[in-house]
Amino acid sequence: MAKEYLAEIRRVRPHGPYRLLGWSYGGAVAHTMAAQLQAAGEQVSLLAVLDGYPPVAGRARQWDPEDGETLAALLDTLGYDLPGHQAGPTPPAQYRAAAGAADGPLAGLDPELLAALPRVFAANLNLLAGFEPGRFDGDLLFFQATRGRTADTPAPQAWLPHLGGRLDLHEIDCAHAAMTRPEPLARIARVLGAALNPTPHP
């Protein structure tokens, strides 16, 4: 996936410096792209991750696209409220009903694409679970969602073995699924703006 993304990016911009940002699963993809660009002799001037983590040893699991836990995790990642989930796994019918909610990000999605989404979600998580990240010789600008964290949620410091630079951590008071909503995104944008346009020292 990282190689395919890089091929598309370099078709438009053959050489750096590059600025990369990934959210959730996309954080591992962006980190891998940064490492691959460096290996190709290119400069990566910014690597930012929105609440995405590398695989952590001992926490891997296999995800089944038809499993109720997978459907619940997918909907939770997208910010859907599933009040009945505590009573048991999310059945496919409840997943389809929640996904069709008028105010949700999946509203209006073609039924065939909607049916494919759990397969893509499960496949991505299964790929990540068995993946060994490379090393990016630079800094990581990390935005951590502070709401809804559980004992299974990795810490941002899980990236340190895969970095040659420092971890610049910024806590965002929101849930993982809400990071690209207007208020959290405005805070993220201010930090990104300062990173992209640093104030020169007098």
Side-chain angles (χ1 to χ4, degrees), residues 16-108:
Y18 293 96
R19 298 164 173 176
L20 304 173
L21 180 146
W23 175 30
S24 192
Y25 172 82
V29 177
H31 175 273
T32 300
M33 292 168 64
Q36 291 180 359
L37 283 167
Q38 281 190 335
E42 294 291 346
Q43 180 187 359
V44 178
S45 60
L46 176 73
L47 174 61
V49 171
L50 308 185
D51 207 45
Y53 302 86
V56 178
R59 297 188 184 179
R61 59 167 288 185
Q62 287 296 302
W63 294 84
D64 179 351
E66 304 302 327
D67 180 77
E69 291 296 327
T70 301
L71 297 177
L74 170 57
L75 291 172
D76 181 66
T77 296
L78 294 171
Y80 286 90
D81 184 24
L82 292 174
H85 175 60
Q86 299 302 323
T90 301
Q94 186 181 2
Y95 160 71
R96 289 191 294 270
D103 59 346
L106 301 180

Side-chain angles (χ1 to χ4, degrees), residues 56-171:
V56 178
R59 297 188 184 179
R61 59 167 288 185
Q62 287 296 302
W63 294 84
D64 179 351
E66 304 302 327
D67 180 77
E69 291 296 327
T70 301
L71 297 177
L74 170 57
L75 291 172
D76 181 66
T77 296
L78 294 171
Y80 286 90
D81 184 24
L82 292 174
H85 175 60
Q86 299 302 323
T90 301
Q94 186 181 2
Y95 160 71
R96 289 191 294 270
D103 59 346
L106 301 180
L109 195 65
D110 181 274
E112 186 174 328
L113 293 176
L114 185 62
L117 208 55
R119 296 195 297 273
V120 174
F121 182 77
N124 285 349
L125 293 180
N126 289 336
L127 282 172
L128 183 60
F131 179 64
E132 178 61 35
R135 183 177 175 86
F136 170 62
D137 189 19
D139 299 336
L140 173 60
L141 182 57
F142 191 91
F143 298 90
Q144 179 187 31
T146 59
R147 295 188 194 176
R149 294 178 58 81
T150 68
D152 293 332
T153 306
Q157 288 74 18
W159 280 113
L160 289 175
H162 312 292
L163 294 176
R166 65 190 182 95
L167 178 69
D168 185 5
L169 176 61
H170 295 265
E171 294 184 343

